[in-house]
Protein backbone atom coordinates (compact mmCIF):
# COMPACT_ATOMS: atom_id res chain seq x y z
CA UNK A 1 0.00 0.00 0.00
CA UNK A 2 2.86 2.34 0.87
CA UNK A 3 4.60 1.71 -2.45
CA UNK A 4 1.43 2.45 -4.40
CA UNK A 5 0.92 5.68 -2.46
CA UNK A 6 4.53 6.75 -3.12
CA UNK A 7 4.14 6.07 -6.84
CA UNK A 8 0.92 8.10 -6.99
CA UNK A 9 2.52 11.04 -5.18
CA UNK A 10 5.60 10.88 -7.43
CA UNK A 11 3.40 10.89 -10.54
CA UNK A 12 1.39 13.86 -9.28
CA UNK A 13 4.58 15.80 -8.54
CA UNK A 14 5.99 15.00 -12.00
CA UNK A 15 2.80 16.28 -13.66
CA UNK A 16 2.93 19.41 -11.47
CA UNK A 17 6.50 20.15 -12.57
CA UNK A 18 5.54 19.54 -16.20
CA UNK A 19 2.59 21.95 -16.10
CA UNK A 20 4.49 24.62 -14.15
CA UNK A 21 7.18 24.77 -16.85
CA UNK A 22 4.83 24.52 -19.85
CA UNK A 23 4.49 27.63 -22.02
CA UNK A 24 1.86 28.07 -24.71
CA UNK A 25 0.06 30.73 -26.76
CA UNK A 26 -3.60 31.06 -27.64
CA UNK A 27 -4.26 32.99 -30.85
CA UNK A 28 -7.78 34.37 -31.40
CA UNK A 29 -9.33 36.03 -34.46
CA UNK A 30 -12.29 38.36 -33.98
CA UNK A 31 -14.46 39.70 -36.76
CA UNK A 32 -16.16 42.68 -35.19
CA UNK A 33 -17.10 41.49 -31.72
CA UNK A 34 -17.58 37.81 -32.69
CA UNK A 35 -14.92 35.18 -32.12
CA UNK A 36 -14.26 33.45 -35.44
CA UNK A 37 -11.40 31.12 -34.55
CA UNK A 38 -9.04 30.34 -31.70
CA UNK A 39 -5.97 28.13 -31.87
CA UNK A 40 -3.43 26.85 -29.40
CA UNK A 41 0.25 26.66 -30.51
CA UNK A 42 -0.66 27.78 -34.09
CA UNK A 43 -1.98 30.89 -35.81
CA UNK A 44 -5.77 31.28 -35.90
CA UNK A 45 -7.49 31.13 -39.29
CA UNK A 46 -8.94 34.37 -40.58
CA UNK A 47 -12.48 35.00 -41.76
CA UNK A 48 -11.35 36.28 -45.17
CA UNK A 49 -12.64 39.83 -44.74
CA UNK A 50 -9.29 41.55 -44.26
CA UNK A 51 -8.54 44.41 -46.60
CA UNK A 52 -5.60 43.90 -48.85
CA UNK A 53 -2.79 46.44 -48.68
CA UNK A 54 -2.98 47.08 -52.45
CA UNK A 55 -6.65 48.06 -52.28
CA UNK A 56 -6.03 50.48 -49.42
CA UNK A 57 -3.24 52.29 -51.30
CA UNK A 58 -5.35 52.79 -54.45
CA UNK A 59 -8.40 54.10 -52.66
CA UNK A 60 -8.39 57.70 -51.59
CA UNK A 61 -10.44 56.90 -48.51
CA UNK A 62 -8.83 54.50 -46.07
CA UNK A 63 -11.04 52.37 -43.92
CA UNK A 64 -10.02 50.40 -40.87
CA UNK A 65 -10.49 46.66 -40.92
CA UNK A 66 -13.21 45.22 -38.70
CA UNK A 67 -11.07 42.17 -37.89
CA UNK A 68 -8.68 41.96 -34.96
CA UNK A 69 -6.22 39.35 -33.81
CA UNK A 70 -5.62 38.76 -30.14
CA UNK A 71 -2.68 36.76 -28.79
CA UNK A 72 -2.66 35.39 -25.24
CA UNK A 73 0.72 34.14 -24.09
CA UNK A 74 1.07 31.95 -20.98
CA UNK A 75 4.68 31.74 -19.87
CA UNK A 76 5.86 28.89 -17.69
CA UNK A 77 8.63 28.95 -15.14
CA UNK A 78 12.02 29.07 -16.84
CA UNK A 79 14.31 28.38 -13.93
CA UNK A 80 13.62 25.49 -11.55
CA UNK A 81 16.94 25.33 -9.75
CA UNK A 82 17.30 27.77 -6.88
CA UNK A 83 20.62 29.45 -6.32
CA UNK A 84 22.21 28.31 -3.05
CA UNK A 85 25.54 30.07 -3.51
CA UNK A 86 24.74 32.91 -1.13
CA UNK A 87 23.62 31.61 2.24
CA UNK A 88 23.95 33.88 5.24
CA UNK A 89 25.19 32.65 8.63
CA UNK A 90 21.74 31.96 10.10
CA UNK A 91 20.75 29.79 7.13
CA UNK A 92 24.01 27.84 7.37
CA UNK A 93 23.45 27.22 11.10
CA UNK A 94 19.87 26.08 10.43
CA UNK A 95 20.90 23.66 7.68
CA UNK A 96 23.73 22.26 9.82
CA UNK A 97 21.38 21.70 12.77
CA UNK A 98 18.75 20.12 10.54
CA UNK A 99 21.22 17.67 8.98
CA UNK A 100 22.69 16.80 12.40
CA UNK A 101 19.24 16.16 13.93
CA UNK A 102 18.15 14.12 10.92
CA UNK A 103 21.24 11.91 11.05
CA UNK A 104 20.85 11.42 14.82
CA UNK A 105 17.32 10.19 14.20
CA UNK A 106 18.65 7.09 12.45
CA UNK A 107 21.57 6.37 14.77
CA UNK A 108 21.79 2.67 15.56
CA UNK A 109 21.91 2.04 19.29
CA UNK A 110 23.25 -1.15 20.80
CA UNK A 111 20.68 -3.33 22.54
CA UNK A 112 20.72 -3.46 26.34
CA UNK A 113 22.90 -6.16 27.87
CA UNK A 114 20.80 -8.84 29.60
CA UNK A 115 23.07 -11.04 31.72
CA UNK A 116 20.49 -13.75 32.49
CA UNK A 117 19.04 -14.29 29.03
CA UNK A 118 20.74 -17.68 28.64
CA UNK A 119 19.35 -19.04 31.93
CA UNK A 120 15.89 -20.46 32.45
CA UNK A 121 13.75 -19.14 35.33
CA UNK A 122 13.52 -21.22 38.52
CA UNK A 123 10.74 -23.77 38.76
CA UNK A 124 7.82 -22.81 40.98
CA UNK A 125 7.07 -25.44 43.58
CA UNK A 126 4.08 -23.61 44.99
CA UNK A 127 2.39 -20.27 44.53
CA UNK A 128 3.98 -18.01 47.15
CA UNK A 129 1.20 -15.39 47.06
CA UNK A 130 -1.43 -18.00 47.72
CA UNK A 131 0.63 -19.61 50.46
CA UNK A 132 1.21 -16.33 52.33
CA UNK A 133 -2.28 -14.98 51.56
CA UNK A 134 -0.88 -11.78 50.03
CA UNK A 135 -3.12 -10.32 47.32
CA UNK A 136 -3.13 -6.95 45.58
CA UNK A 137 -6.46 -5.20 45.89
Amino acid sequence: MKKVFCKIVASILAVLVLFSTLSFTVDQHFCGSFLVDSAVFTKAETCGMEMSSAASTEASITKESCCTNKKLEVKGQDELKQNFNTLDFQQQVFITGLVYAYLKLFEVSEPDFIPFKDYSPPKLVCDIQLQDQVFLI
Side-chain angles (χ1 to χ4, degrees), residues 126-135:
C126 63
D127 193 3
I128 297 173
Q129 289 178 343
L130 189 61
Q131 185 179 7
D132 294 338
Q133 299 288 318
V134 179
F135 302 106

Side-chain angles (χ1 to χ4, degrees), residues 26-136:
V26 177
D27 198 22
Q28 298 174 336
H29 180 77
F30 289 93
C31 190
S33 62
F34 298 106
L35 178 64
V36 175
D37 189 29
S38 68
V40 180
F41 300 120
T42 60
K43 188 170 177 150
E45 292 184 17
T46 61
C47 61
M49 294 185 63
E50 293 84 21
M51 295 181 148
S52 65
S53 60
S56 64
T57 56
E58 292 175 5
S60 59
I61 301 174
T62 59
K63 189 176 180 182
E64 265 188 48
S65 175
C66 66
C67 296
T68 57
N69 289 327
K70 193 174 186 183
K71 186 176 184 180
L72 175 69
E73 214 171 304
V74 177
K75 291 201 173 219
Q77 186 178 2
D78 290 338
E79 188 174 317
L80 289 177
K81 185 176 179 185
Q82 298 292 333
N83 191 3
F84 291 113
N85 292 338
T86 56
L87 293 176
D88 61 353
F89 181 71
Q90 290 178 346
Q91 291 173 336
Q92 290 176 356
V93 168
F94 175 75
I95 290 173
T96 305
L98 182 73
V99 168
Y100 180 75
Y102 185 75
L103 292 176
K104 281 291 189 183
L105 220 131
F106 298 109
E107 184 176 295
V108 179
S109 62
E110 294 181 16
D112 295 331
F113 177 68
I114 303 172
F116 51 83
K117 73 175 184 175
D118 295 330
Y119 302 106
S120 61
K123 298 208 186 272
L124 290 177
V125 178
C126 63
D127 193 3
I128 297 173
Q129 289 178 343
L130 189 61
Q131 185 179 7
D132 294 338
Q133 299 288 318
V134 179
F135 302 106
L136 291 177

